[in-house]
Amino acid sequence: MPVQLAPVARAAPDYASRAYWTGTIKMSLSKFFILRVLHDQPMHGYDVARAVERTTNGCCSPTEGTIYPVLREFEEGGYVTSEVTTVSGRQRKTYTLTDKGRQAFRVAVEAWLDVTRALLETEQVVQRAEATDCCA
């Protein structure tokens, strides 16, 4: 007789927590900002992580556990190419954005700008509502 495993209960996310939203945003933006920094110049994975952190003023600080799977996914999709070189006796992969990757970046910028405009409009709605609430 097969053994029935009980489903593992997961805690519901705390949607009122800034940490929840920050984590969700960072996960979504990591791929975008990896394309962004590779758009500037080819670089090693470690350099990609530091450049993303610098570019976002620390808002997005991807780890190696985040960077390398994304770079592998981009490479498999033809968005980046890689070349292995030896630097100070160590093999390093340099990632370069392809034309397909540059096109993906342009599309991503357009999509994120649409979201940004919607967020700015939403901020104005919230500010108007708060101004009305304080004077009632």
Side-chain angles (χ1 to χ4, degrees):
M1 177 173 253
V3 176
Q4 294 286 326
L5 297 176
V8 176
R10 285 192 331 177
D14 180 2
Y15 294 115
S17 163
R18 182 167 179 112
Y20 168 80
W21 292 106
T22 300
T24 300
I25 291 165
K26 284 181 180 182
M27 283 190 319
S28 299
L29 285 174
S30 288
K31 288 182 181 181
F32 173 80
F33 279 109
I34 290 169
L35 288 175
R36 160 64 179 87
V37 299
L38 287 174
H39 186 268
D40 291 345
Q41 67 185 36
M43 54 183 80
H44 306 289
Y46 177 81
D47 295 333
V48 169
R50 299 297 68 82
V52 167
E53 188 170 18
R54 249 188 340 273
T55 300
T56 64
N57 296 317
C59 173
C60 242
S61 304
T63 63
E64 288 183 23
T66 304
I67 292 286
Y68 291 106
V70 171
L71 289 169
R72 192 172 325 125
E73 182 181 314
F74 284 166
E75 190 170 14
E76 289 169 358
Y79 301 97
V80 301
T81 58
S82 68
E83 180 183 348
V84 178
T85 56
T86 302
V87 177
S88 301
R90 294 180 50 202
Q91 285 197 331
R92 309 269 315 258
K93 258 189 179 183
T94 300
Y95 297 90
T96 303
L97 211 56
T98 63
D99 288 340
K100 184 177 179 180
R102 290 184 185 288
Q103 176 60 27
F105 177 63
R106 282 191 291 279
V107 170
V109 168
E110 292 170 11
W112 279 107
L113 286 174
D114 288 344
V115 169
T116 300
R117 283 188 280 278
L119 287 170
L120 291 172
E121 289 171 12
T122 301
E123 180 185 34
Q124 291 171 357
V125 169
V126 169
Q127 288 174 346
R128 283 192 301 268
E130 288 175 351
T132 303
D133 289 346
C134 78
C135 301

